[in-house]
Amino acid sequence: MNLLETRTLCELPTLQNALDDLHLWTQRNYMLLNGGKCLTMHVTFARNPPQPPPLRIDDTDLAVVPSLKVLGLTIQSDLHWDKQVNNMVAKSGRKLFLLKRLKKFNLPQCDLVAIYIGYIRPILEYAVPVWSSGLTKRQSDQLERLQKRACRTIMGNGYTGYQHALEHLGLSTLAARREQLCLKFARSLMDSEFRDWLPPPRAQITGRVTRNNHKLNCPKVKTNRYLNSCIPYMTRLINKYDQ
């Protein structure tokens, strides 16, 4: 379970109250919270942020960490994705050993591609709408190199270049796939109960009829960090491809 609090610097923290209520609820239901296994992470970009009071369960102060895993996704306190990318590359790199072993048994290329698509590539695309728009070029290249290694393993001596390998094996670059996966997820939001995650059309806000009134209203941003986050990015994708 994850508890989250968002507040301005001038507001007093209330997360401890929620944590106390949760602790009482677990005790009434004959469960126990282990304070030694619970973690705290602070996300702030203020120049001189005040030190928040420690969170406690009974007499145990919760450890403050720079990153933590939520449903398999590594989130850092600076909202960068270095650890998530490194984890994906390391995990998928270990699974490339399977391709190398099967290649020695002269398995057809189509079967090797199917194994890569079903067994290795999903690791590189896990929860991709969350982090894709925040990747740096170095991180994007880091992921792409993993697919290059897979192509080189599958084709063996027939590998002459990455672009030729993609065409021969019927694959797309991971960057292109991430864009399509994010677009697919954004489209699914448009027709779901979570439609309010995306901004409304411009016509709904202005009430005027213009050439672009069918497009989603792009949220105003003040920082590149927010500009490159998932909601503004998916809004731009919807406006680019579907409107």
Side-chain angles (χ1 to χ4, degrees), residues 22 28 37-38 43 45 105 115 135 140 143 152 173 231:
L22 176 63
R28 292 169 185 163
K37 293 184 177 180
C38 297
V43 179
F45 298 100
F105 291 99
I115 292 171
L135 291 182
S140 180
L143 295 173
R152 191 179 293 111
T173 63
I231 297 301

Side-chain angles (χ1 to χ4, degrees), residues 28-189:
R28 292 169 185 163
N29 289 272
Y30 307 101
M31 293 182 284
L32 181 65
L33 287 178
N34 188 344
K37 293 184 177 180
C38 297
L39 303 173
T40 303
M41 186 176 74
H42 301 140
V43 179
T44 178
F45 298 100
R47 292 182 179 179
N48 298 300
Q51 184 67 26
L55 296 176
R56 302 173 62 88
I57 295 179
D58 285 335
D59 296 326
T60 304
D61 288 349
L62 304 190
V64 179
V65 296
S67 65
L68 50 79
K69 273 196 172 185
V70 179
L71 298 177
L73 190 69
T74 304
I75 300 177
Q76 299 173 215
S77 59
D78 57 7
L79 300 186
H80 292 168
W81 297 107
D82 303 90
K83 291 188 177 181
Q84 174 65 18
V85 171
N86 291 338
N87 290 342
M88 292 188 297
V89 169
K91 186 175 181 180
S92 55
R94 290 192 294 268
K95 292 183 180 296
L96 278 181
F97 176 74
L98 175 65
L99 281 183
K100 295 179 181 178
R101 295 284 295 182
L102 293 175
K103 179 69 174 178
K104 293 182 179 180
F105 291 99
N106 297 319
L107 215 64
Q109 283 188 1
C110 59
D111 291 344
L112 294 175
V113 172
I115 292 171
Y116 166 72
I117 291 176
Y119 189 62
I120 299 175
R121 191 172 68 181
I123 300 172
L124 301 172
E125 297 174 341
Y126 177 72
V128 69
V130 179
W131 49 264
S132 174
S133 58
L135 291 182
T136 63
K137 185 180 185 304
R138 180 186 62 80
Q139 292 166 345
S140 180
D141 292 342
Q142 191 176 353
L143 295 173
E144 208 71 52
R145 280 196 297 270
L146 202 289
Q147 182 163 268
K148 290 181 183 179
R149 289 172 55 193
C151 292
R152 191 179 293 111
T153 299
I154 293 171
M155 295 187 65
N157 294 331
Y159 181 87
T160 58
Y162 185 46
Q163 193 59 42
H164 170 262
L166 292 179
E167 296 173 358
H168 180 75
L169 300 176
L171 299 174
S172 302
T173 63
L174 293 180
R177 277 190 53 80
R178 287 195 297 271
E179 182 178 73
Q180 290 303 311
L181 289 171
C182 290
L183 178 60
K184 180 180 178 181
F185 180 72
R187 286 169 174 167
S188 69
L189 291 180

